[in-house]
Amino acid sequence: MLLRETVASHDRIVYIRDVLTRADNPLLTSLIMIDQAIPCILHLENRVNEKVFYTLLAEGMDRYLEGPQHSQKRKQFIEAITGAMNSCVLVKFGGAPAQWEFPLSKDE
């Protein structure tokens, strides 16, 4: 048996043992293991950060919605945010800029 297969079978045995142990104790059946919660926590953090980011974008866009005097400022705002996201926030490995685009509705 290869080492990889041995480790995989050991992990399955530990998982089964943990499930059986939790099934024996009614207090533990409603809980999840910490290693199962980590992806949920990371997903929550990503969603919260995304909500904050899009709320900031929406607040910024509210300043430049109407009037011809705001169209140029709105375009500059969009270009500035897009440039910052692609060159500072979402920079790819090696310094290559990202390909993020400002989220506009289809009619804008």
Side-chain angles (χ1 to χ4, degrees):
M1 187 180 269
L2 295 172
L3 179 61
R4 183 176 293 162
E5 293 170 352
T6 305
V7 170
S9 65
H10 172 70
D11 289 345
R12 276 184 257 139
I13 291 169
V14 169
Y15 178 75
I16 292 169
R17 184 197 66 205
D18 290 344
V19 168
L20 293 174
T21 302
R22 288 174 47 202
D24 290 339
N25 187 344
L27 294 175
L28 295 177
T29 56
S30 62
L31 302 175
I32 61 172
M33 304 301 285
I34 190 68
D35 59 339
Q36 295 171 325
I38 291 172
C40 295
I41 293 168
L42 293 175
H43 185 256
L44 171 69
E45 183 180 353
N46 287 341
R47 290 293 175 203
V48 169
N49 288 337
E50 186 177 298
K51 178 64 176 175
V52 168
F53 176 70
Y54 283 114
T55 301
L56 288 172
L57 289 181
E59 289 294 322
M61 287 298 291
D62 283 347
R63 294 181 176 200
Y64 309 113
L65 283 181
E66 296 181 13
Q69 71 276 13
H70 289 301
S71 65
Q72 186 63 27
K73 288 182 181 180
R74 182 174 184 253
K75 184 177 178 183
Q76 290 172 348
F77 174 75
I78 292 170
E79 289 174 357
I81 295 295
T82 302
M85 286 297 292
N86 286 329
S87 62
C88 299
V89 178
L90 300 174
V91 177
K92 295 181 180 178
F93 182 74
Q99 300 297 316
W100 183 84
E101 292 183 13
F102 196 93
L104 296 171
S105 64
K106 294 179 180 167
D107 60 338
E108 295 183 83

